[in-house]
Amino acid sequence: MAEETDRDQKTEEPTEKRKREAIEKGDVLQSRELGTALVILAGAGWIALGGPWMMAALQHMLERSLAFDVGAVQDFQPGRAIFAMISDVAVPLIVLFLLTIVAAIGTPALLGSLGFRWGAIGFKADKLNPMNGIKRMFGIQGIVELGKSVAKVLLLGAVGVWLLMSRADDMMTLGTQDIIAALGHLGDIFVFAIIVMAFALAVIAGIDVPSQIFQRGGRLRMSKQEVKDESKQTEGSPEMRGAIRRKQQEMIKGSARSAMAEATVVLTNPTHFAVALRYRPGFDAAPIVVARGRGATAEAIRELATENTLPILSYPELTRAIYYTTRAGQMIREDLFIAVATILAFVFNIETALAEGVGQPDIKVPPEVRFDENGNPLP
């Protein structure tokens, strides 16, 4: 039971497949607090910078609507008059609209969640289940959202109280001022209040975004069993992988079979690399690489060598040296001639050597052509 419980615990980081599926279903990083803060900040900026522009436009519209002459009465065109009045305030309002749209789009863009996903608007039957709704309300997520709402109310309330107390004296003196000065002063107080409240919302968003990142990470975390199951689905069962590997081996062997028919000897790493050499005295000026490979290709070369009863000798350093310095169809490097010639002399007399109990000869690989398994020169 304990082992089964450990296996079901969400201890593993989500895989790329899990993240992609979550995004397709609409489970993306989102923060209502950030969206609200950006929209309010955009509006506050517009009020601070475009407020006088808007007030001037309203004044001009009012003056135009109340001023008329004989020509306006004789050639009365209500449509043109309405259009002329609206055009005064249309541009500032369009700018405000565009700012709020950019702020609304900027929220998912900042969170890397911008995009339309059909899965997010698809029908979900579990949303109609009252029990699921109760779980969401009284579960951990509901408690977290409640705490955030209470904290937001407390913070904004405290900011509001501070604003009223700090500006109380200014508001009390508005009655002693003329109407134009009082309205201007009141507008300054209003703009200041909006900007302060917008920055308070930005502080809340700064707390909410890391919280949303943490919560989404928790939702996407996987158990060890889920990772294993996904791996099987992605890569297939061991039987399927084996069948694919056999198919690959057959294809590789098919392409290398004709070349291996000419080979004289096969050198191996012994498992990761393999090179097949051909040397026909009187015909080849030097040993030639007829096939080379690593991994599955090396395994296929070894199998073909066994089928053709070719000698297979293990020389790790020399095999890697030939693999990384010579392509198929090319002669080996001159500084490897002595090492390969020593091996070929042994191969041409292998039956006598084995009968006399002589093992494969030792060879030396020049330091400048010594490589590790990744092709990096060895010191």
Side-chain angles (χ1 to χ4, degrees):
M1 289 294 292
E3 182 178 344
E4 185 175 346
T5 303
D6 292 341
R7 195 174 54 176
D8 294 336
Q9 289 181 347
K10 308 287 187 179
T11 57
E12 305 301 311
E13 292 294 327
T15 61
E16 291 301 322
K17 181 174 181 291
R18 178 67 169 261
K19 294 178 181 177
R20 287 196 305 270
E21 290 177 348
I23 292 174
E24 291 171 359
K25 294 177 181 177
D27 185 359
V28 295
L29 185 62
Q30 52 188 343
S31 172
R32 290 193 297 270
E33 314 302 337
L34 179 61
T36 303
L38 288 180
V39 171
I40 297 298
L41 281 171
W46 179 87
I47 291 174
L49 300 177
W53 178 21
M54 184 64 182
M55 293 302 296
L58 288 172
Q59 180 180 352
H60 187 260
M61 182 185 71
L62 184 61
E63 291 174 352
R64 176 178 292 184
S65 63
L66 296 177
F68 60 91
D69 53 15
V70 175
V73 175
Q74 292 176 346
D75 187 22
F76 180 63
Q77 296 183 10
R80 187 171 64 181
I82 292 173
F83 176 78
M85 287 187 294
I86 293 177
S87 62
D88 290 333
V89 297
V91 176
L93 290 178
I94 290 173
V95 172
L96 175 61
F97 177 75
L98 292 177
L99 284 175
T100 54
I101 290 295
V102 170
I105 296 175
T107 301
L110 288 174
L111 298 176
S113 307
L114 186 63
F116 181 79
R117 300 166 185 88
W118 284 105
I121 63 173
F123 175 74
K124 297 180 178 63
D126 62 330
K127 297 290 186 181
L128 302 178
N129 189 339
M131 295 304 298
N132 290 339
I134 293 174
K135 289 180 181 178
R136 285 193 296 269
M137 290 174 59
F138 298 98
I140 296 177
Q141 180 69 20
I143 295 173
V144 170
E145 292 299 325
L146 176 62
K148 284 164 47 180
S149 300
V150 172
K152 181 165 64 173
V153 170
L154 291 176
L155 177 59
L156 294 180
V159 172
V161 170
W162 174 78
L163 283 172
L164 288 174
M165 294 179 65
S166 63
R167 295 289 178 167
D169 294 339
D170 294 337
M171 288 187 289
M172 292 296 293
T173 60
L174 290 178
T176 62
Q177 303 175 11
D178 63 88
I179 186 64
I180 297 178
L183 288 176
H185 198 180
L186 183 61
D188 293 339
I189 294 174
F190 177 73
V191 170
F192 178 74
I194 290 294
I195 293 175
V196 171
M197 297 297 283
F199 277 103
L201 286 172
V203 171
I204 295 173
I207 299 173
D208 181 61
V209 171
S211 172
Q212 293 295 332
I213 294 174
F214 178 77
Q215 292 179 45
R216 184 171 184 269
R219 290 197 305 270
L220 296 184
R221 290 185 76 85
M222 305 171 67
S223 65
K224 295 183 182 295
Q225 186 60 40
E226 287 175 332
V227 174
K228 291 180 181 179
D229 293 342
E230 183 182 295
S231 177
K232 288 182 180 179
Q233 293 174 359
T234 304
E235 301 176 4
S237 63
E239 294 78 11
M240 183 176 292
R241 290 200 300 270
I244 294 174
R245 184 177 179 82
R246 286 192 296 273
K247 187 68 175 178
Q248 291 174 338
Q249 288 289 97
E250 291 174 2
M251 294 175 62
I252 295 171
K253 288 168 68 175
S255 61
R257 194 177 297 277
S258 59
M260 289 297 296
E262 302 178 357
T264 304
V265 63
V266 172
L267 307 180
T268 66
N269 192 37
T271 56
H272 298 89
F273 296 84
V275 293
L277 301 178
R278 184 194 75 197
Y279 180 68
R280 291 176 293 183
F283 181 81
D284 294 322
I288 295 175
V289 176
V290 294
R292 59 190 279 276
R294 62 186 300 175
T297 305
E299 184 177 346
I301 291 173
R302 291 194 300 271
E303 290 180 4
L304 287 171
T306 302
E307 291 178 10
N308 291 290
T309 63
L310 293 173
I312 302 176
L313 304 178
S314 177
Y315 284 98
E317 284 191 347
L318 180 59
T319 302
R320 292 195 297 267
I322 297 174
Y323 177 85
Y324 283 116
T325 59
T326 312
R327 297 183 179 275
Q330 295 180 343
M331 292 188 300
I332 64 171
R333 288 168 54 113
E334 292 184 5
D335 50 2
L336 297 176
F337 279 2
I338 296 177
V340 174
T342 303
I343 295 172
L344 290 173
F346 171 76
V347 169
F348 290 144
N349 298 280
I350 191 168
E351 294 183 359
T352 303
L354 293 176
E356 295 177 356
V358 178
Q360 65 183 53
D362 295 329
I363 54 95
K364 291 184 179 181
V365 177
E368 58 270 18
V369 289
R370 293 178 182 173
F371 302 94
D372 61 15
E373 293 185 355
N374 298 317
N376 300 316
L378 293 173

